[in-house]
């Protein structure tokens, strides 16, 4: 009998997406009240720093020693991310108004960081983890049960309420992102849309947040119908991607479209249309005659489209 895992690719499709190659050992089961202090006392400990929504970078190095970090300003919400082969890795935030000599240290948002390839993929994944956690702490300083101030514990992976004893944990918001496909052979088309906020000419997969009590497949069907009036039958998982804006998990799928007539949600989409496989390849290569563009390679939408167009991106088994 064949194994369920026979035929799967050696590398997961998810691993090719931006922010996905995070090699930090989180050691979640070993975290305690003193984990942060113990890690920080290690001379090999290094921090990823943020000011507002931007990471701080020295050349191509996003890591700071504790002494270097505190020399820049007061650190808030210091978090133990985990351990790398070189030692503990932490994250902290500086106040938005903290002055920085930008001739020496460059503030850069994570999208630009990924597009430029300014740091290695192992740092990009860790920075996504760091940004999601620092943002969660900024937004959850008060107990959602009783409204009292909370305190950070477990190295930053929990906040406790001293008043009502409630425990609060970081959350990740699941988002389905899908490529609806209609027809077969030469008649096969994929559905892409664009929002007004997109850069000129860019079309992407449809997407939306998973709702309570909903499967991934049902969320794909609901969102595709709500945004484009397209009914979906079968759904196939492709890959996932951590998306630190602020803390989502993109769940990529291919979806079987059952009809072709688009009824666009005009409040959500500026345009929505079908594309041939040849057009998709032109978009990915940057040669579409109408100047239509695909999302950049860091985005899972690029991977989903590439897999259908036959230009890489992997496929789910």
């Amino acid at each position: 009998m064949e194994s369920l895992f026979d035929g799967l690719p050696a590398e997961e499709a998810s691993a090719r997406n931006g922010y996905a190659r995070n090699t930090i050992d989180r050691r979640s089961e070993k975290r305690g009240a003193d984990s942060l202090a113990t890690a920080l006392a290690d001379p090999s400990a290094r921090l990823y720093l943020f000011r507002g929504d931007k990471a701080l970078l020295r050349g191509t190095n996003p890591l700071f020693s504790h002494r270097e970090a505190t020399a820049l300003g007061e650190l808030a919400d210091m978090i133990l991310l985990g351990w790398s082969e070189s030692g503990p890795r932490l994250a902290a935030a500086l106040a938005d108004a903290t002055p920085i000599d930008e001739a020496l240290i460059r503030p850069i948002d994570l999208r630009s960081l990924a597009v430029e390839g300014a740091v290695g993929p192992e740092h990009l994944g860790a920075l996504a983890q760091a940004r999601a956690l620092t943002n969660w702490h900024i937004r959850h300083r008060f107990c959602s049960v009783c409204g009292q101030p909370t305190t950070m514990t477990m190295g930053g992976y929990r906040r406790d309420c001293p008043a009502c004893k409630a425990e609060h944990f970081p959350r990740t918001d699941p988002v389905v992102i899908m490529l609806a496909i209609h027809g077969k052979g030469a008649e096969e088309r994929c559905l892409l849309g664009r929002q007004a906020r997109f850069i000129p000419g860019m079309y992407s997969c449809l997407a939306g947040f998973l709702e309570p009590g909903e499967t991934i497949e049902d969320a794909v069907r609901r969102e595709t119908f709500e945004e484009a009036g397209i009914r979906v039958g079968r759904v196939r998982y492709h890959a996932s991607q951590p998306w630190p804006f602020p803390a989502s998990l993109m769940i990529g799928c291919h979806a079987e479209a059952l009809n072709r007539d688009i009824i666009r949600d005009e409040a959500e989409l500026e345009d929505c249309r079908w594309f041939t496989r040849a057009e998709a390849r032109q978009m990915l290569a940057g040669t579409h005659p109408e100047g239509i563009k695909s999302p950049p390679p860091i985005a899972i939408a690029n991977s989903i489209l590439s897999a259908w167009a036959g230009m890489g991106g992997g496929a789910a088994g």
Side-chain angles (χ1 to χ4, degrees):
M1 175 181 285
E2 291 186 359
S3 166
L4 181 65
F5 307 103
D6 288 345
L8 288 179
E11 182 183 51
E12 296 170 349
S14 299
R16 303 183 188 124
N17 296 323
Y19 313 110
R21 294 180 183 270
N22 189 351
T23 59
I24 285 179
D25 181 359
R26 300 172 188 240
R27 302 184 191 175
S28 303
E29 76 286 0
K30 296 180 180 179
R31 289 178 179 270
D34 59 348
S35 296
L36 179 61
T38 301
L40 200 57
D42 188 327
S44 64
R46 294 293 182 270
L47 288 80
Y48 294 100
L49 293 181
F50 290 85
R51 188 184 66 175
D53 62 354
K54 295 184 178 181
L56 302 185
L57 195 63
R58 294 178 297 180
T60 59
N61 183 13
L63 292 173
F64 296 78
S65 69
H66 187 217
R67 179 178 294 179
E68 292 169 334
T70 54
L72 293 175
E74 183 177 355
L75 303 180
D77 298 323
M78 193 177 299
I79 299 158
L80 174 59
L81 303 177
W83 286 260
S84 74
E85 293 181 354
S86 303
R89 293 292 178 260
L90 302 97
L94 295 167
D96 291 356
T98 303
I100 291 175
D101 184 352
E102 296 192 15
L104 300 175
I105 298 176
R106 179 189 178 197
I108 180 171
D109 67 89
L110 293 196
R111 280 190 178 90
S112 300
L113 197 67
V115 171
E116 291 181 14
V119 299
E122 74 283 0
H123 287 309
L124 198 59
L127 282 163
Q129 177 188 356
R131 180 65 190 117
L133 284 165
T134 54
N135 183 80
W136 180 76
H137 282 286
I138 289 169
R139 296 187 177 195
H140 292 80
R141 300 195 184 282
F142 296 89
C143 179
S144 59
V145 178
C146 70
Q148 294 300 306
T150 56
T151 58
M152 190 171 71
T153 187
M154 304 295 287
Y157 273 77
R158 198 175 83 199
R159 294 189 76 92
D160 292 347
C161 178
C164 72
K165 309 305 179 185
E167 297 176 347
H168 304 278
F169 296 88
R171 60 175 293 170
T172 297
D173 298 317
V175 177
V176 291
I177 178 166
M178 52 277 173
L179 185 70
I181 301 161
H182 187 272
K184 293 182 179 180
E187 298 301 315
E188 197 171 57
R189 301 288 188 273
C190 74
L191 183 71
L192 298 171
R194 66 167 281 109
Q195 296 181 355
R197 63 179 179 83
F198 287 1
I199 63 172
M202 191 181 84
Y203 281 70
S204 186
C205 300
L206 305 186
F209 285 98
L210 196 75
E211 295 191 352
E214 193 171 44
T215 66
I216 291 170
E217 294 85 352
D218 283 343
V220 166
R221 296 183 184 105
R222 175 182 54 77
E223 283 288 343
T224 306
F225 182 74
E226 287 177 357
E227 294 191 9
I230 300 299
R231 295 286 184 184
V232 164
R234 293 171 293 182
V235 175
R236 184 174 182 174
Y237 170 77
H238 168 68
S240 62
Q241 178 184 33
W243 194 245
F245 306 106
S248 297
L249 178 68
M250 308 299 290
I251 303 168
C253 299
H254 293 105
E256 177 188 38
L258 302 179
N259 62 296
R260 193 78 164 260
D261 295 331
I262 297 170
I263 304 174
R264 174 172 57 91
D265 180 349
E266 297 184 3
E268 184 74 19
L269 298 176
E270 185 179 75
D271 191 25
C272 188
R273 56 184 274 195
W274 296 99
F275 292 87
T276 66
R277 183 173 275 107
E279 286 183 295
R281 290 172 177 167
Q282 291 172 329
M283 292 167 62
L284 291 160
T287 60
H288 195 282
E290 298 177 42
I292 298 175
K293 306 176 182 69
S294 67
I298 67 158
I300 191 174
N302 183 288
S303 171
I304 297 168
L305 184 61
S306 294
W308 175 74
M311 295 180 67

